[in-house]
Amino acid sequence: MRTRPLKVALLGCGVVGSEVARIMTTHADDLAARIGAPVELAGVAVRRPDKVREGIPRELVTTDAKGLVARGDIDVVVEVIGGIEPARALITSAFENGASVVSANKALLAEDGATLYAAAEKHGRDLYFEAAVAGAIPLIRPLRESLAGDKVNRVLGIVNGTTNFILDKMDTSGAGYSEALDEATALGYAEADPTADVEGFDAAAKAAILAGIAFHTRVRLDDVYREGMTEVTASDFASAARMGCTIKLLAICERAADGKSVTARVHPAMIPLSHPLASVHEAYNAVFVEAEAAGQLMFYGPGAGGSPTASAVLGDLVAVCRNKLAEATGPGESVYTQLPVSPMGEVVTRYHISLDVADKPGVLAQVATVFAEHGVSIDTVRQQGRPDGDGEASLVVVTHRAPDAALSGTVEALRNLDTVHGVASIMRVEGE
């Protein structure tokens, strides 16, 4: 074993960073044995230096993150501060000054991963980011390495624990959205401002990363279609139950049937109770991968939190340090396919549409005509009058698979019918 330690700079010491530092200290001997050399925490960059950080010597704490990564004697920089800047500048500076990087920064990787990959390649350094997607679940490395000889056609997953907790509570307890969100906040699953989670921004960033790796093409955050789940209601869950389904906020990345394009999207969807993702409860994550040779694979586990995310960071740290000792680097960006990302309108999917209609003869025929005019085939129809006898009925239509643009056009045309008094809900059906 080499006796000279590999020096690690830690950028950020919040929930994840502090746990990374703790594990590096308490498991130092094990890490050294696995790597082949000891690792030493050489500096910790923070915004509030006066805060007491148990287990971290005060002399290691600095507010000069720029100076820390530019020291020249740092072997690996661990970046867990998040955001676009100053993270991007610090990471590129680390590469320029001889350090490899382990990051958990999904937003930056989704927004401008190309810049980071290019800087890493230019300077012959590693960029690892297992912790950026699905916390402790090994997912990035299997896609980048284990399935490198296979052809991945689809990645379908629950990649945000907060939204899964909320939807699971709505499903299992009958709680409304606001009530379930309040519980998630009280338990620490939801931030004070949950917008990034419930509006799908967090999941969309992860979808961009997964699609880029799975399909060997460049996918940015702007390429990902996104819908939040704040409009999901108890009535939607009741409708899903009647179909033998539940509702999840899904990240879906697909290769087109002809292999000439890809799509990436995040939105709520009904999935059959028989699908493995339907049984993912609480704040857990799970990702379902479909590959040509390997078939169907599922990755499941805690997708967030200090310890789970730190586990992924430390796994990357060990891999990067091993590469450093071997004077080698791991896989970089693979975008050889250069496939275009198709817009949502070209995605072929199914719809569950609930309409408020006039309770009188001929309404169903009118609705069916609109679907036919837009080339959308109907799978099932259910119409039920209101118990209060107010002259209105509920009409639920489930379609066969069709281009999303055709389905959207159908809905707009339905809104213009005099006999359709409102569109109660619209939801896609996936996982079949």
Side-chain angles (χ1 to χ4, degrees):
M1 178 186 293
R2 193 180 86 164
T3 57
R4 184 174 68 81
L6 293 162
K7 294 188 177 184
V8 178
L10 179 60
L11 306 183
C13 198
V15 173
V16 176
S18 59
E19 191 65 9
V20 169
R22 184 192 68 79
I23 295 173
M24 284 185 63
T25 302
T26 57
H27 295 168
D29 291 342
D30 287 337
L31 291 172
R34 294 166 191 169
I35 292 169
V39 288
E40 173 189 306
L41 190 59
V44 181
V46 299
R47 286 184 296 178
R48 297 187 296 275
D50 296 331
K51 180 180 177 180
V52 176
R53 293 173 173 85
E54 186 176 348
I56 299 177
R58 283 188 172 272
E59 62 269 19
L60 294 183
V61 176
T62 179
T63 57
D64 186 11
K66 184 176 179 181
L68 178 61
V69 301
R71 273 175 38 174
D73 65 335
I74 300 297
D75 295 290
V76 183
V77 169
V78 174
E79 183 271 311
V80 288
I81 58 177
I84 306 302
E85 293 292 356
R88 176 168 46 198
L90 292 170
I91 290 173
T92 54
S93 176
F95 291 139
E96 292 166 0
N97 286 279
S100 290
V101 173
V102 172
S103 176
N105 196 332
K106 56 186 172 288
L108 177 55
L109 287 159
E111 179 68 29
D112 196 18
T115 294
L116 305 186
Y117 275 122
E121 181 178 7
K122 178 181 178 181
H123 298 284
R125 304 300 167 192
D126 272 326
L127 173 62
Y128 276 54
F129 47 89
E130 185 68 64
V133 180
I137 304 172
L139 184 59
I140 301 299
R141 194 167 296 137
L143 286 173
R144 285 214 296 185
E145 300 177 31
S146 304
L147 295 174
D150 207 340
K151 181 181 180 182
V152 176
N153 291 316
R154 196 175 197 224
V155 179
L156 172 76
I158 299 165
V159 295
N160 183 277
T162 300
T163 54
N164 198 58
F165 180 90
I166 293 170
L167 292 173
D168 185 49
K169 287 301 175 184
M170 293 176 69
D171 186 20
T172 57
S173 71
Y177 168 75
S178 296
E179 183 181 353
L181 173 59
D182 289 343
E183 184 175 354
T185 303
L187 292 172
Y189 292 129
E191 302 287 346
D193 179 1
T195 302
D197 295 323
V198 300
E199 293 295 350
F201 291 101
D202 175 84
K206 295 168 181 176
I209 295 169
L210 292 174
I213 296 171
F215 307 133
H216 302 277
T217 197
R218 189 165 290 158
V219 180
R220 298 181 69 245
L221 181 58
D222 290 346
D223 297 321
V224 181
Y225 173 84
R226 177 193 57 79
E227 281 182 27
M229 41 78 69
T230 57
E231 301 300 319
V232 177
T233 66
S235 295
D236 292 325
F237 275 101
S239 294
R242 283 191 287 268
M243 291 177 59
C245 293
T246 189
I247 300 171
K248 299 291 185 182
L249 183 75
L250 297 178
I252 305 170
C253 311
E254 293 179 305
R255 190 190 300 267
D258 61 9
K260 294 181 180 180
S261 65
V262 300
T263 58
R265 50 196 166 105
V266 168
H267 54 72
M270 294 182 179
I271 59 171
L273 294 175
S274 58
H275 195 283
L277 291 177
S279 61
V280 178
H281 299 296
E282 297 288 329
Y284 278 80
N285 285 191
V287 178
F288 203 70
V289 177
E290 298 176 13
E292 199 166 85
Q296 297 179 331
L297 308 170
M298 183 164 160
F299 302 84
Y300 169 85
S307 294
T309 306
S311 172
V313 170
L314 268 295
D316 279 351
L317 178 63
V318 169
V320 169
C321 287
R322 287 172 175 170
N323 290 344
K324 190 85 171 182
L325 293 179
E327 298 182 349
T329 56
E333 185 180 33
S334 174
V335 291
Y336 74 92
T337 64
Q338 299 185 19
L339 296 173
V341 181
S342 297
M344 185 63 191
E346 296 180 14
V347 171
V348 177
T349 187
R350 297 179 67 201
Y351 262 61
H352 175 283
I353 304 170
S354 180
L355 305 171
D356 295 326
V357 300
D359 190 5
K360 62 182 182 179
V363 174
L364 181 56
Q366 289 182 336
V367 169
T369 298
V370 171
F371 277 89
E373 289 173 346
H374 287 81
V376 178
S377 177
I378 294 176
D379 182 13
T380 62
V381 177
R382 184 181 73 254
Q383 183 171 347
Q384 183 175 353
R386 299 283 175 79
D388 55 11
D390 61 358
E392 288 202 352
S394 296
L395 179 63
V396 175
V397 179
V398 180
T399 73
H400 286 292
R401 289 170 62 82
D404 198 81
L407 289 162
S408 297
T410 301
V411 172
E412 289 306 308
L414 289 171
R415 295 181 193 274
N416 292 326
L417 290 179
D418 291 339
T419 52
V420 175
H421 299 162
V423 179
S425 70
I426 308 170
M427 191 166 296
R428 296 173 182 85
V429 182
E430 301 286 345
E432 297 180 312

